[in-house]
């Protein structure tokens, strides 16, 4: 049977004088420092120390635990871990920022104390079902951490209790609501029947036009699609419209100009053009032009 190698021993005075050398030896085997002939201290490697402390860096379980902890910390979504008594076990940096608090300060605190609005939120019954029955949940909730805020939440069971994963989706919810209001406005204009409107690309091409505008021109929707909007205007008003459209794209502010539409029969219809930019998430997507007869403006 192989015998365990005996630790190296060194006098305290010699250890101090040759610390660099003994530190290197301690990386391989323990070094016992003696004082007045008695063992006083033991120098061992950091890995050996961690094994003594019950945290073996080479153990698969320890590596998995460290990897999972680092993964949670790196997630940009807010992650809150609670036990079955709804006490906070851990929160990642994103959650600490969202709640505007220190992770260390709330460890072990009841979730209801850290997030007072949670008991009044529709999320709370789902959270109780998660902790009692490991029931998952995914959906959007409002005003959990601040008024007029929308969060997408995922509730996931974990061995200790549950994980609450939160993502701020306020901007996308507001954008969808704004889009719905815009579409409702266009439907109301179509119902009125006296105001034309067209959607233009960033190159001024007509992508869509309503029946009222088509009737003003005396043409059909297919004939004016992909035509420059300025081509529908009298020569003397084309540059004014183009300048106004460029100003809208440049500043983002709406513009209104007086102009004249040319009809298919060669006549002119005095109109007022109201122009507003269609702005996407990252860049301009074109513009909307409202066309009202000059007497209706």
């Amino acid at each position: 049977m192989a015998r365990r190698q005996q630790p190296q021993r060194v006098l305290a005075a010699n250890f101090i004088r040759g610390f660099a050398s003994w530190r290197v030896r301690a990386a391989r085997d323990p070094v016992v420092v003696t004082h007045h002939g008695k063992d006083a201290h033991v120098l061992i490697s950091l890995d050996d120390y961690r094994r003594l402390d019950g945290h073996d860096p080479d153990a698969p379980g320890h590596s998995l635990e460290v990897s999972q902890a680092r993964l949670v910390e790196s997630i940009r979504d807010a992650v809150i871990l609670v036990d079955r008594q709804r006490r906070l076990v851990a929160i990642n940096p994103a959650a600490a920022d969202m709640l505007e608090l220190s992770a260390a300060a709330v460890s072990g605190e009841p979730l209801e104390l850290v997030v007072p609005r949670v008991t009044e939120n529709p999320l709370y019954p789902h959270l109780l079902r998660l902790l009692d029955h490991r029931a998952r949940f995914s959906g959007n909730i409002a005003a959990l951490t601040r008024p007029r805020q929308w969060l997408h939440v995922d509730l996931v069971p974990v061995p200790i209790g549950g994980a609450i994963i939160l993502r701020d989706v306020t901007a996308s919810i507001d954008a969808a609501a704004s889009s719905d209001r815009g579409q409702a406005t266009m439907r109301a204009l179509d119902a009125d029947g006296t105001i034309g409107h067209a959607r233009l690309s960033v190159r001024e091409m007509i992508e869509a036009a309503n029946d009222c505008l088509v009737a003003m021109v005396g043409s059909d929707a297919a004939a004016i699609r992909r035509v420059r909007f300025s081509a529908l205007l009298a020569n003397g008003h084309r540059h004014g419209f183009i300048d106004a459209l460029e100003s809208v794209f440049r500043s983002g502010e709406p513009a209104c100009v007086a102009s004249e539409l040319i009809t298919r029969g060669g006549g002119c219809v005095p109109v007022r053009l109201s122009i507003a930019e269609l702005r996407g998430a990252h860049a301009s997507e074109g513009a909307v032009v409202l066309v009202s007869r000059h007497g209706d403006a």
Side-chain angles (χ1 to χ4, degrees), residues 251-275:
S251 67
E253 297 296 326
C256 188
V257 294
S259 188
E260 289 184 351
L261 278 178
I262 301 176
T263 67
R264 189 172 185 179
C268 290
V269 180
V271 293
R272 183 170 295 278
L273 307 177
S274 301
I275 313 165

Side-chain angles (χ1 to χ4, degrees), residues 45-267:
S45 69
L46 181 60
D47 287 346
D48 287 341
Y49 173 78
R50 286 173 172 168
R51 291 187 185 96
L52 292 175
D53 198 35
H55 295 85
D56 185 353
D58 297 326
H62 180 266
S63 299
L64 179 60
E65 180 182 346
V66 171
S67 298
Q68 289 176 336
R70 290 176 178 172
L71 176 62
V72 170
E73 288 186 359
S74 67
I75 293 176
R76 293 199 296 180
D77 293 342
V79 180
I80 303 172
L81 298 180
V82 295
D83 62 17
R84 290 183 173 82
Q85 286 72 45
R86 302 187 301 280
R87 294 188 299 257
L88 264 71
V89 176
I91 64 175
N92 71 342
D97 291 342
M98 179 178 289
L99 299 176
E100 298 181 350
L101 46 78
S102 166
V106 298
S107 180
E109 294 289 342
L111 178 66
E112 294 85 350
L113 180 64
V114 178
V115 188
R117 293 191 182 95
V118 71
T119 56
E120 305 168 4
N121 196 280
L123 171 68
Y124 196 63
H126 295 288
L127 176 62
L128 298 181
R129 283 194 288 272
L130 168 72
L131 299 177
D132 293 340
H133 307 292
R134 299 179 63 80
R136 293 172 177 261
F137 171 78
S138 181
N140 293 333
I141 60 170
L144 178 63
T145 59
R146 68 173 187 268
R148 295 184 297 279
Q149 179 192 44
W150 282 92
L151 298 173
H152 180 80
V153 58
D154 288 293
L155 301 181
V156 182
V158 294
I160 198 171
I164 307 170
I165 305 173
L166 303 171
R167 179 184 306 160
D168 194 325
V169 293
T170 306
S172 59
I173 294 291
D174 289 347
S178 178
S179 177
D180 290 342
R181 289 192 294 269
Q183 292 177 10
T185 300
M186 291 302 179
R187 290 196 297 269
L189 292 175
D190 289 339
D192 178 84
T194 62
I195 299 177
H197 62 78
R199 186 176 71 246
L200 310 184
S201 71
V202 292
R203 296 185 177 181
E204 197 207 326
M205 299 296 186
I206 298 174
E207 295 182 338
N210 71 338
D211 292 340
C212 180
L213 177 59
V214 171
M216 287 183 188
V217 177
S219 181
D220 59 76
I224 65 173
R225 183 175 171 82
R226 309 309 300 172
V227 172
R228 289 186 180 275
F229 188 86
S230 58
L232 304 182
L233 306 177
N235 285 332
H237 294 275
R238 292 179 181 177
H239 288 299
F241 169 77
I242 293 173
D243 289 344
L245 182 62
E246 290 179 351
S247 173
V248 168
F249 286 147
R250 184 170 58 252
S251 67
E253 297 296 326
C256 188
V257 294
S259 188
E260 289 184 351
L261 278 178
I262 301 176
T263 67
R264 189 172 185 179

Side-chain angles (χ1 to χ4, degrees), residues 26-45:
R28 297 189 301 268
D29 298 296
V31 173
V32 177
V33 182
T34 64
H35 184 66
H36 295 307
K38 296 182 179 180
D39 295 344
H41 304 282
V42 179
L43 181 66
I44 60 176
S45 69

